[in-house]
Amino acid sequence: MNSFDLLQHACQDHQSYPENLLRKGAVEHSIREYKEFLNERSKHNIFQGKPSPQQPSKIRVWDRFDGEQVFPTGPHVCKSEEDVRNHFVVNGRKDPRCRIIFLRPSHSRAPLNFSREMFSTVLSYHQVMAQFLDISLNFGTTPGLNIPTAAQHHWFHHQEFLDLENAQRYAIPQLGRSGLDIQYCYNLWGVEKSTDTTRLWEIRQAGIYHSLDLENGRATWIHVKAYNPQKLLENRIREASTASRRHQDIVSDSEHLQESLCASLVIHLNIFEWAREGWRQYILHWEIKLEQILTKINNAPINKAEMALSGVNPAISDVLGSASRRGTWSLKTRANTLDSVTVVASPTISSSPRALSPIRTNTILSNSEATDGKYIMKDAHQGIIEESSLHVLEEFKFEDLQYLHYIASKFREADMVFELNTRIILEVMNYFEGLVKHPLISEDIRKGCDIALADFSQHTRSIISCFGIYRTRIATLLTLLEDGRSLFYATTQFRDVELNKFSASKMENMTIDMHQMTADMHDSTLKMEKIAEGTGKETSSMHTITLVTLLFLPGTFVATFLGAGFYQFPNKAGDGAGDVAVYPLFQPGFFALFAAIAFPLTALTVFFWFIGPWIWRWAQLAELMQRLSQWRWKHLRIPDEESNLTPQVPTAG
């Protein structure tokens, strides 16, 4: 069975990738680990992504065959396993001079936009090194968590098959493969503007695989990157692969190899440039956010606080004075000063929405009073200090500290990306500088690539230098951030200490007021006791008067009734000796006159006494109704001349 038949069998057994590789390039247990890694990621639906309306394609293939100067106008799109087999395995054509395969998930955390069968068939047909799984399977998210699987992991793997004897064994003339080839893969991280409205920038990775036949110069590229509507990197790679082509026809394999080597260097430079672009705006974006918070912290009016606290504890005054004069403050350098503060307070930040005001509380406040809604503190040495005049510190919220930590994490993430990108780019540059010196590379090819390699090295070192500048800038920003965070802690600590003192002083004044109120209540109680005692004496007098009145009331009634003329004594003559007693005679006419006048008058008096409150209430209600009627007449009445108007309908024109 020749190598071509073995390749056909490997493509049929694509599920066993990478164990089906003809030349594994790694020890057996490493191959088994990669297969287990592929199976594990497959269980977590890494290949179950569905294309979005903005990204309908799955695997895009650009081929430039022998005799073609440029790529076709559009790629070949493989949407199923059958499409992949028909395009790669079944057609039986030679490999193109340059083939670029683009694998594009919707975003860095999305599953790969194709099935495992399609993926393993492509890798099996091109005999892609197993280490490429380290890069391609790090897209998507960790199972059960919405976090990236590759937290800025960087890889650079390479393997060379340069043994002439083994090359003849594994050569596949039907496909134009000589068996002498190099393979390498790596990934870099760059920053791009996000299509998500919730965040402006997003750090994304790009994975690259490249194989190059060192005899005829046939090249295969596999590019894995999240979807970008502009397809910037895809277009750059496709254009760079033809940028170094000569206008005249190339007939020899050595010329093809030289062209492929030069094109490879240009493609790598485009990828390096992509990894460098955007970071300036990204750092500037977070620098502006940081500056907004640091300005708020550094401009805290500590000097005004010191003026309001001229008699404050010297330790606190020293802490704030030094911090305000330097603009930044370090917990390490002022640790002893903080320890000398008499009131212990942890540097926790209050989330109260109102600003907290420092006040002078080193002396006991004698009294307090409220005037026009303002709480006034009276100090024995400095007169009156109003609370409203002590709002000299700006509002510091816990969200500000959280945002500082978030900005710091973004800076550290970018710094890590710069360091790892620098390492990968250096490894790629050193790899190519060593490759051109290999004995299999002829002197003519080496000389033909000297200029391209020199340009490649120069541009690469320039990109590395740019990363170094970005790292220095981030280190400076992190230092400013730490200083601002320390000053934030100091300011909030001072604020909390003074709040505690102010609250204690208020409680002391409230206690004094409560004592005064208690004394006043005691005096009032004594007065009430005296009033109750006097009321008791008056009540006893009223009881005495009532008793005397009740004793004399019956006799008074009888005497009045008999003396009213209802009864008259008859007139008689005589000296009065031995006369018989004569009783008075009742006069009905007099009584009738008395009853006709007294009884109705009494009834009328009782009637008015009973009906009087109701009459008063009715009068109040009548007055209210009259006022309501007047208001309605004034505000709601429609004039007669307006009510008689007929609305006019406007006519056209």
Side-chain angles (χ1 to χ4, degrees):
M1 183 178 294
N2 57 27
S3 299
F4 182 76
D5 295 333
L6 293 175
L7 179 64
Q8 293 286 338
H9 178 73
C11 292
Q12 295 176 0
D13 190 27
H14 59 82
Q15 290 289 351
S16 63
Y17 178 85
E19 292 181 343
N20 61 350
L21 292 175
L22 304 185
R23 293 184 292 185
K24 297 179 174 56
V27 295
E28 289 295 333
H29 70 85
S30 296
I31 298 299
R32 287 194 299 269
E33 288 181 357
Y34 277 114
K35 183 179 179 181
E36 293 174 359
F37 179 42
L38 178 59
N39 293 335
E40 178 185 359
R41 296 293 286 149
S42 300
K43 292 178 182 178
H44 295 107
N45 299 329
I46 186 61
F47 296 107
Q48 295 294 323
K50 297 181 180 180
S52 61
Q54 295 81 11
Q55 166 61 348
S57 60
K58 292 197 172 183
I59 296 181
R60 299 160 58 89
V61 184
W62 294 84
D63 291 332
R64 179 168 58 82
F65 290 94
D66 292 331
E68 296 179 350
Q69 299 293 327
V70 295
F71 284 97
T73 56
H76 178 81
V77 180
C78 299
K79 298 182 179 180
S80 63
E81 181 185 2
E82 183 179 0
D83 291 343
V84 172
R85 294 186 60 85
N86 291 335
H87 184 73
F88 294 112
V89 182
V90 177
N91 58 30
R93 295 179 299 180
K94 282 188 177 183
D95 291 343
R97 283 294 172 184
C98 182
R99 168 171 286 165
I100 307 176
I101 303 173
F102 291 98
L103 310 178
R104 301 191 305 175
S106 300
H107 53 83
S108 296
R109 300 188 182 189
L112 296 175
N113 216 12
F114 40 81
S115 65
R116 174 179 176 175
E117 289 75 15
M118 299 170 62
F119 181 68
S120 58
T121 301
V122 171
L123 300 189
S124 298
Y125 178 77
H126 295 93
Q127 292 293 288
V128 177
M129 57 194 300
Q131 291 84 345
F132 182 62
L133 296 177
D134 285 331
I135 298 172
S136 57
L137 297 186
N138 272 328
F139 284 79
T141 57
T142 301
L145 300 174
N146 189 26
I147 59 175
T149 54
Q152 280 74 53
H153 290 174
H154 285 62
W155 310 92
F156 176 69
H157 301 294
H158 62 89
Q159 61 185 19
E160 297 78 22
F161 301 103
L162 305 178
D163 189 351
L164 294 177
E165 295 182 2
N166 288 331
Q168 294 177 357
R169 291 174 50 192
Y170 293 103
I172 306 177
Q174 297 91 328
L175 301 179
R177 303 180 185 178
S178 66
L180 291 172
D181 62 319
I182 59 172
Q183 300 182 29
Y184 57 90
C185 60
Y186 64 90
N187 68 325
L188 294 174
W189 291 78
V191 64
E192 294 179 342
K193 286 191 174 181
S194 176
T195 56
D196 190 356
T197 57
T198 59
R199 51 181 179 267
L200 181 61
W201 296 93
E202 189 170 347
I203 297 178
R204 295 174 175 173
Q205 64 170 323
I208 298 295
Y209 164 82
H210 181 216
S211 67
L212 180 63
D213 194 305
L214 295 182
E215 183 173 312
N216 52 44
R218 298 183 186 275
T220 300
W221 297 83
I222 300 179
H223 177 245
V224 187
K225 183 186 174 297
Y227 172 73
N228 184 286
Q230 289 79 25
K231 305 177 185 177
L232 296 178
L233 192 54
E234 177 178 346
N235 294 333
R236 292 179 185 180
I237 292 176
R238 183 165 50 85
E239 293 171 0
S241 63
T242 58
S244 61
R245 287 189 58 81
R246 305 173 186 175
H247 296 288
Q248 66 271 21
D249 294 335
I250 300 176
V251 294
S252 65
D253 289 338
S254 61
E255 290 179 337
H256 280 298
L257 178 58
Q258 179 181 337
E259 176 209 3
S260 297
L261 281 174
C262 295
S264 300
L265 297 177
V266 177
I267 290 177
H268 291 306
L269 277 180
N270 277 271
I271 298 173
F272 297 167
E273 285 290 342
W274 169 84
R276 182 193 60 82
E277 294 172 352
W279 287 109
R280 180 185 304 171
Q281 293 83 356
Y282 179 83
I283 296 174
L284 181 61
H285 169 75
W286 292 112
E287 184 177 358
I288 293 174
K289 299 292 185 182
L290 175 62
E291 183 66 23
Q292 293 174 353
I293 300 179
L294 292 183
T295 301
K296 178 180 179 181
I297 297 174
N298 293 329
N299 291 340
I302 303 299
N303 293 331
K304 294 183 181 180
E306 290 178 340
M307 293 176 61
L309 299 168
S310 58
V312 80
N313 190 306
I316 298 179
S317 178
D318 182 47
V319 170
L320 294 177
S322 301
S324 63
R325 284 188 292 270
R326 290 190 296 116
T328 58
W329 185 77
S330 175
L331 285 176
K332 296 181 180 179
T333 58
R334 306 300 294 178
N336 296 330
T337 305
L338 284 179
D339 292 340
S340 65
V341 177
T342 56
V343 180
V344 179
S346 59
T348 56
I349 293 86
S350 172
S351 58
S352 174
R354 67 182 184 89
L356 304 179
S357 303
I359 62 171
R360 182 189 176 196
T361 55
N362 63 313
T363 58
I364 299 177
L365 298 178
S366 57
N367 51 23
S368 62
E369 59 184 16
T371 304
D372 297 332
K374 298 179 181 179
Y375 192 81
I376 299 178
M377 311 292 293
K378 291 186 177 181
D379 186 84
H381 300 284
Q382 290 193 341
I384 298 176
I385 301 176
E386 295 184 2
E387 181 186 7
S388 60
S389 65
L390 295 176
H391 291 278
V392 295
L393 293 180
E394 294 185 7
E395 180 181 0
F396 295 96
K397 296 182 179 180
F398 185 72
E399 289 80 0
D400 294 333
L401 182 60
Q402 286 181 313
Y403 203 61
L404 280 177
H405 283 281
Y406 181 70
I407 294 175
S409 67
K410 290 297 181 182
F411 283 151
R412 292 191 176 95
E413 182 183 33
D415 184 68
M416 179 179 62
V417 170
F418 295 152
E419 180 182 1
L420 297 179
N421 277 356
T422 300
R423 293 183 181 180
I424 296 299
I425 292 174
L426 276 176
E427 290 186 16
V428 174
M429 183 183 69
N430 294 333
Y431 179 77
F432 273 95
E433 289 178 349
L435 178 65
V436 296
K437 299 177 182 179
H438 196 276
L440 287 178
I441 304 299
S442 64
E443 187 66 23
D444 295 337
I445 296 177
R446 187 178 299 112
K447 290 181 179 180
C449 296
D450 280 346
I451 298 177
L453 184 60
D455 292 341
F456 173 76
S457 300
Q458 179 183 356
H459 285 84
T460 300
R461 290 188 175 89
S462 175
I463 294 173
I464 294 174
S465 176
C466 187
F467 283 148
I469 295 173
Y470 288 158
R471 295 194 65 189
T472 302
R473 184 178 179 187
I474 285 180
T476 303
L477 292 174
L478 285 174
T479 302
L480 294 176
L481 188 146
E482 291 298 329
D483 290 341
R485 184 157 49 188
S486 299
L487 182 59
F488 187 97
Y489 283 138
T491 305
T492 53
Q493 183 185 33
F494 167 74
R495 183 188 64 182
D496 294 339
V497 168
E498 292 305 314
L499 174 64
N500 294 334
K501 290 183 178 181
F502 179 67
S503 300
S505 300
K506 263 192 172 181
M507 291 299 297
E508 181 181 359
N509 295 327
M510 290 175 63
T511 304
I512 296 175
D513 293 341
M514 289 298 296
H515 282 300
Q516 185 65 36
M517 291 176 61
T518 303
D520 294 342
M521 290 295 294
H522 180 67
D523 295 340
S524 299
T525 303
L526 294 178
K527 292 180 180 179
M528 291 298 295
E529 290 179 357
K530 293 180 179 180
I531 294 174
E533 184 179 356
T535 303
K537 293 179 180 181
E538 293 177 358
T539 303
S540 299
S541 300
M542 291 300 297
H543 281 302
T544 302
I545 295 172
T546 302
L547 178 61
V548 173
T549 302
L550 291 176
L551 290 177
F552 287 94
L553 183 62
T556 303
F557 173 74
V558 172
T560 303
F561 187 79
L562 292 177
F566 302 150
Y567 294 89
Q568 292 185 357
F569 292 90
N571 296 325
K572 62 178 181 177
D575 52 4
D579 290 341
V580 179
V582 178
Y583 292 95
L585 300 177
F586 178 71
Q587 299 295 327
F590 293 162
F591 183 79
L593 179 61
F594 171 79
I597 297 173
F599 288 169
L601 186 60
T602 302
L604 185 63
T605 302
V606 174
F607 173 77
F608 279 110
W609 173 82
F610 180 78
I611 203 66
W614 294 97
I615 296 175
W616 181 82
R617 293 176 184 174
W618 180 85
Q620 294 292 329
L621 181 61
E623 182 181 359
L624 179 62
M625 294 298 294
Q626 183 179 5
R627 292 180 180 179
L628 180 61
S629 177
Q630 292 175 356
W631 182 87
R632 294 178 60 186
W633 178 262
K634 180 179 180 180
H635 295 281
L636 302 180
R637 183 176 64 86
I638 301 176
D640 295 339
E641 58 272 12
E642 292 181 0
S643 61
N644 295 330
L645 291 177
T646 302
Q648 299 294 328
V649 179
T651 59

